Amino acid sequence: FDVTGRSLPTGAVWMSDPFEDVTIEFEDTRHRPEESESARKRRKAENTLAVSSHVLSLASPVFRVMLEPALKEGTSKCLIVSPSVGTKSGFAKFYAFLAPGSSCEMYISNDNVDEVLAFSDHYQVRGLKKKCENFLLTSRQASIPLLLQAEKYGLADLRTLCIHRLATDPNADWSAFQDNPKVLLELIEVLQESSRALRDANRDLMDERDSWSWWQYGPPDSESEQQDDAGHWEQSEGAWNSEW
């Protein structure tokens, strides 16, 4: 199959398009003892894509190096994609963003963002990776799985957004980050910042109360009243400090 889904003749090793000079394999297509040669060729055809080395090399520094003539992939014109990176359908979506004929019609959506992000990160297509992050920033609600995704692919803006929003969620389960002290430290810093903001807001409210009392009732009648008022403020501020 080529990237558009067109099927190649069974067992074909030539390319359906002269510009599609590289074969992408998505599993080990070598012969298995239990299968016939025709079955192996059929399986190989079902698990390959024909793509352009020029498109890959222009878009990705990783592909550019892999396709150097001095390397095995550059000589064989065959690249193997690990299942841990993604699937054939996911690569087809990713490649459609790179190919000149289809890229202008492509846009990031919920249907393709996760797969395109995985491939653009693995093959270092930074512009496309940034498009995926921008989509996630505006289209998905902050959650622990989204934060894990931001951590996995190094999405700094998405990571910061998730931490700040999840810090105020009492139901957020942070156990997934028990072995990630960096995230937990940032969470503590966000909570401390929120605490300082609340303390400052409380101080402003009390200053406003004192100003209103002065305007409405005049200055305190005695020194003891001032001390009582100051004592009340010290107790309030001490309560805030004791919580942290």
Side-chain angles (χ1 to χ4, degrees):
F1 287 82
D2 68 7
V3 73
T4 65
R6 297 173 296 181
S7 61
L8 299 176
T10 301
V13 295
W14 46 268
M15 299 296 145
S16 60
D17 187 310
F19 294 102
E20 295 172 346
D21 58 339
V22 171
T23 299
I24 307 291
E25 296 185 359
F26 296 90
E27 67 170 40
D28 188 352
T29 57
R30 290 175 295 182
H31 179 68
R32 297 173 180 174
E34 72 277 8
E35 69 178 351
S36 65
E37 181 65 15
S38 61
R40 186 196 70 82
K41 290 180 178 180
R42 183 168 58 253
R43 178 168 57 85
K44 181 175 181 178
E46 292 172 350
N47 290 281
T48 60
L49 282 177
V51 296
S52 167
S53 62
H54 301 289
V55 170
L56 297 180
S57 297
L58 286 171
S60 162
V62 176
F63 282 126
R64 192 177 308 128
V65 172
M66 293 176 69
L67 293 170
E68 286 287 334
L71 297 182
K72 179 183 68 174
E73 294 85 356
T75 302
S76 66
K77 297 294 184 180
C78 180
L79 306 177
I80 298 177
V81 175
S82 168
S84 63
V85 179
T87 63
K88 174 183 174 180
S89 63
F91 189 92
K93 296 173 185 178
F94 164 70
Y95 184 76
F97 280 93
L98 310 182
S102 58
S103 59
C104 60
E105 301 175 359
M106 297 301 296
Y107 58 91
I108 300 295
S109 68
N110 276 314
D111 293 331
N112 62 28
V113 63
D114 297 314
E115 292 170 305
V116 173
L117 173 60
F119 280 108
S120 61
D121 175 73
H122 186 75
Y123 293 110
Q124 299 179 19
V125 184
R126 295 179 181 177
L128 185 54
K129 179 179 175 180
K130 187 61 181 177
K131 285 185 178 181
C132 293
E133 180 179 19
N134 290 339
F135 178 84
L136 294 173
L137 281 166
T138 58
S139 66
R140 292 190 180 174
Q141 187 175 1
S143 64
I144 294 297
L146 188 61
L147 178 56
L148 287 169
Q149 189 176 30
E151 274 286 294
K152 179 178 180 179
Y153 297 116
L155 307 178
D157 292 341
L158 183 62
R159 182 178 182 277
T160 298
L161 177 70
C162 286
I163 290 177
H164 277 77
R165 291 188 176 176
L166 291 171
T168 60
D169 183 0
N171 298 317
D173 181 7
W174 294 91
S175 59
F177 296 95
Q178 60 183 351
D179 297 324
N180 191 331
K182 185 176 179 181
V183 170
L184 296 179
L185 179 60
E186 289 188 36
L187 172 63
I188 292 173
E189 291 174 350
V190 170
L191 292 173
Q192 289 177 332
E193 181 181 345
S194 298
S195 174
R196 287 191 293 268
L198 287 172
R199 185 176 60 187
D200 292 343
N202 183 66
R203 182 184 292 111
D204 292 341
L205 286 173
M206 298 195 70
D207 289 345
E208 184 177 350
R209 184 208 63 181
D210 293 341
S211 298
W212 173 257
S213 298
W214 185 286
W215 178 82
Q216 187 171 16
Y217 302 110
D221 294 333
S222 65
E223 183 179 351
S224 61
E225 186 175 349
Q226 295 181 17
Q227 293 174 347
D228 291 343
D229 187 58
H232 176 75
W233 162 246
E234 291 172 0
Q235 181 181 2
S236 175
E237 186 175 27
W240 278 106
N241 290 333
S242 66
E243 294 180 3
W244 294 95

